[in-house]
Amino acid sequence: MAKKFWLVKQEPESYSWDAFVKEGSTAWTGIRNYQARNNLRAMTKGDPVLFYHSGESKEVVGIARVSKEAYPDPTATEGDWSGADLVPVKALKKPVTLGVIKADHELKEIPLIRNTRLSVMPLTAVQFNRILELGESKF
């Protein structure tokens, strides 16, 4: 099965990269958007994930990996929602801001720009690797 690439968004005031690293893993739950839910369900164990701070900072700050594929979201009291588990891999050497992403020709079609409210989104290998390059990091 081909590797898929992802980006997840989180406000650092609610759950920061540093908190994620300190905990060592997290259950990515509480998603209540059908498109984001479907993206969570499409994640495969081992898929690489970029961690994006939304809110004021608006920047990709780290790389994570899917450690457990989709399962019923235990925080959901009704509806058909899913969660997935993620583990941190490493911080980017240099955070990649939304401004840098918007200015980069190779990233003009990235869902982060086209669908700004989506909290879990797929990336192409080219988009994922370009953000790593801009962040002076390797996976």
Side-chain angles (χ1 to χ4, degrees), residues 20-94:
F20 180 35
V21 170
K22 185 176 180 180
E23 290 179 7
S25 68
T26 193
W28 210 261
T29 58
I31 303 299
R32 300 296 182 265
N33 170 285
Y34 290 106
Q35 189 176 2
R37 178 205 64 189
N38 292 343
N39 289 336
L40 276 173
R41 289 179 176 176
M43 288 178 163
T44 304
K45 186 175 181 178
D47 283 351
V49 180
L50 293 176
F51 193 101
Y52 179 86
H53 276 168
S54 57
E56 288 187 30
S57 60
K58 293 182 176 58
E59 59 189 4
V60 178
V61 295
I63 306 166
R65 184 181 297 278
V66 177
S67 60
K68 183 177 179 184
E69 295 177 15
Y71 53 85
D73 185 341
T75 70
T77 56
E78 59 184 51
D80 181 24
W81 301 106
S82 298
D85 292 354
L86 306 178
V87 294
V89 174
K90 65 180 180 179
L92 295 185
K93 288 182 182 175
K94 177 181 163 186

Side-chain angles (χ1 to χ4, degrees), residues 1-2 6 10 14 17 40 45-46 60-61 63 75 82 87 100 107-108 117 131 135 138:
M1 184 177 284
W6 306 96
Q10 182 63 47
S14 299
W17 171 258
L40 276 173
K45 186 175 181 178
V60 178
V61 295
I63 306 166
T75 70
S82 298
V87 294
V100 167
L107 298 173
K108 68 181 181 194
R117 301 207 28 93
I131 290 172
K138 293 185 180 186

Side-chain angles (χ1 to χ4, degrees), residues 84-137:
D85 292 354
L86 306 178
V87 294
V89 174
K90 65 180 180 179
L92 295 185
K93 288 182 182 175
K94 177 181 163 186
V96 181
T97 66
L98 181 59
V100 167
I101 291 169
K102 284 181 174 182
D104 192 280
H105 180 72
E106 289 183 55
L107 298 173
K108 68 181 181 194
E109 295 298 319
I110 193 169
L112 186 63
I113 297 170
R114 294 182 299 124
N115 194 346
T116 60
R117 301 207 28 93
L118 190 60
S119 62
V120 179
M121 60 191 69
L123 300 176
T124 65
V126 169
Q127 292 165 342
F128 182 88
N129 289 320
R130 179 62 180 149
I131 290 172
L132 290 186
E133 185 180 326
L134 293 168
E136 300 174 0
S137 302

